[in-house]
Amino acid sequence: MRFGFTRRAVLLGGLLLAAAVPAMAQDKPVLRFSAVFSEQDIRAEMMGQFASQIVDNFTLEPYYGGNLFKQGTELVALQRGNLEMGNIAPQDISNQIPAWSVLTSAYLFRDADHLRAFFASDVGAEFKQMAEDQLGIHILGPTYFGTRQVGLRVDKEIKTPADMAGIKLRMPGGDAWQFLGTALGANPTPMAYAEVYTGLQTGAIDGQDNPLPNVENMKFYEVMDQIVLTSHLVGYDLLVISGDAWNKMTPEQQTEVQAAATAAIDFSQQKHLARETELLEKFKTAGLKIYEPDVAAFRAYAQKMYLDSELAKDWPAGVVDRINAL
């Protein structure tokens, strides 16, 4: 039997194949990711690595610098179905789940390893389940971005919380963030992340608190006089996916996404730890004064403020002891 192909049939077949390729590509779900950090941030590298590990089944569409959603609005976007993935501050979660405020308190986590141990523990699982049940989000893991230090434009040596009196310290909006500023002895002032450089430059604020890699990425050191090594908060956000996007995945896809997220978070954490050590020397060379305050005095002052506050009444009984024991 002979089979003949006319020119018309060949052209028709080619057109059908060309139409099928974009249709197949469209079948791959798009995961829109929003974050306020810049494209130069180590965490942008983290997300690039994550994207490469899931590329066979998903397309990651990242938006950096708050270009898609502003700081503090990503969580609501996830809940409303306007976003699939986000870099969410635990403070934003605590605004909706008061029990989460304990995870935003000063001097709770000792270091990055203690943070990761918490989220891998039974008590960490309880907090993740709270978020899943009450907010409709699935937490893939904590993204460490450095220990938060105080950076000031004023030339005043800081040794204890009493020395912070009257200092306008920029903090993100939200009760948990503002309370943290108060717990350092400062006068907290809410301001958007993208406005901090200008705020320091003009004197609208006296200082800001961020991990050293953020200070470098946003060039805050250009308009600062000193860094005070308060080490008051192990800085982290949460790599989160909406419950709707997560539940649409097969168990195999969920395993793939979680493994990719864990590997990417590991990569980011190690790079941040190494970078923090390097940056202290860089900032000294740039002419910034580096002060080591009485951290014990800061810790005692902050912890007393938290335990005496309304925030602590929402903390699950015994949770601080359980975290300390990890």
Side-chain angles (χ1 to χ4, degrees):
M1 181 181 294
R2 294 177 59 198
F3 294 92
F5 294 94
T6 67
R7 182 173 181 272
R8 181 178 179 182
V10 170
L11 288 173
L12 181 59
L15 289 172
L16 289 172
L17 180 59
V21 171
M24 289 169 65
Q26 289 170 5
D27 288 338
K28 190 160 60 171
V30 173
L31 301 175
R32 292 168 298 175
F33 172 79
S34 176
V36 296
F37 55 73
S38 71
E39 290 184 49
Q40 289 71 45
D41 196 288
I42 292 169
R43 290 167 292 176
E45 288 185 67
M46 173 188 79
M47 294 310 298
Q49 180 172 313
F50 173 76
S52 70
Q53 295 300 308
I54 63 168
V55 68
D56 289 344
N57 291 308
F58 301 95
T59 298
L60 186 75
E61 195 172 274
Y63 295 87
Y64 301 120
N67 289 327
L68 186 61
F69 293 101
K70 292 182 179 179
Q71 187 174 32
T73 65
E74 304 98 334
L75 178 55
V76 174
L78 285 161
Q79 292 173 294
R80 291 178 175 174
N82 297 325
L83 184 66
E84 288 74 43
M85 293 189 69
N87 182 69
I88 307 300
Q91 287 80 2
D92 292 338
I93 294 179
S94 74
N95 288 337
Q96 296 191 45
I97 305 178
W100 263 73
S101 66
V102 67
L103 303 185
T104 70
S105 61
Y107 299 105
L108 178 69
F109 296 116
R110 295 185 293 273
D111 51 32
D113 288 339
H114 188 209
L115 170 71
R116 294 291 293 278
F118 164 76
F119 277 97
S121 71
D122 290 342
V123 63
E126 293 167 16
F127 277 84
K128 288 189 286 187
Q129 195 62 51
M130 278 186 219
E132 194 143 351
D133 293 342
Q134 297 182 44
L135 306 183
I137 58 173
H138 182 81
I139 295 172
L140 294 168
T143 55
Y144 173 80
F145 57 85
T147 300
R148 297 182 84 93
Q149 315 289 1
V150 169
L152 302 176
R153 69 186 294 273
V154 294
D155 187 9
K156 176 185 179 182
E157 186 172 359
I158 305 295
K159 286 295 185 182
T160 69
D163 298 324
M164 296 285 287
I167 287 179
K168 295 177 290 184
L169 186 67
R170 176 269 173 182
M171 304 296 292
D175 291 344
W177 279 116
Q178 295 299 294
F179 188 85
L180 173 59
T182 302
L184 293 173
N187 178 21
T189 303
M191 179 179 285
Y193 190 55
E195 298 170 9
V196 174
Y197 186 99
T198 303
L200 287 167
Q201 191 174 44
T202 62
I205 53 174
D206 299 317
Q208 54 79 39
D209 90 306
N210 267 293
L212 300 183
N214 293 35
V215 172
E216 182 198 34
N217 293 338
M218 301 301 288
K219 300 189 183 302
F220 296 153
Y221 63 91
E222 295 179 347
V223 284
M224 284 166 34
D225 184 77
Q226 64 168 292
I227 293 171
V228 188
L229 299 176
T230 48
S231 300
H232 54 275
L233 195 70
V234 172
Y236 73 99
D237 288 321
L238 297 154
L239 184 55
V240 167
I241 187 167
S242 73
D244 184 55
W246 180 256
N247 293 329
K248 285 179 181 176
M249 296 180 186
T250 66
E252 293 76 19
Q253 288 174 328
Q254 289 177 348
T255 298
E256 174 194 10
V257 168
Q258 181 61 68
T262 300
I265 288 169
D266 288 343
F267 160 82
S268 177
Q269 178 173 311
Q270 292 309 311
K271 287 206 72 171
H272 274 98
L273 290 169
R275 193 68 181 132
E276 284 179 287
T277 301
E278 296 168 2
L279 286 174
L280 270 181
E281 292 305 315
K282 174 178 178 175
F283 294 148
K284 284 180 185 177
T285 302
L288 268 71
K289 300 179 183 71
I290 309 294
Y291 290 119
E292 295 188 19
D294 184 347
V295 173
F298 271 95
R299 181 182 293 108
Y301 183 85
Q303 289 184 343
K304 186 177 187 306
M305 285 205 67
Y306 275 101
L307 292 172
D308 291 346
S309 74
E310 286 294 302
L311 291 173
K313 70 179 176 58
D314 296 312
W315 297 356
V319 69
V320 173
D321 290 336
R322 294 175 69 190
I323 293 172
N324 286 340
L326 292 171

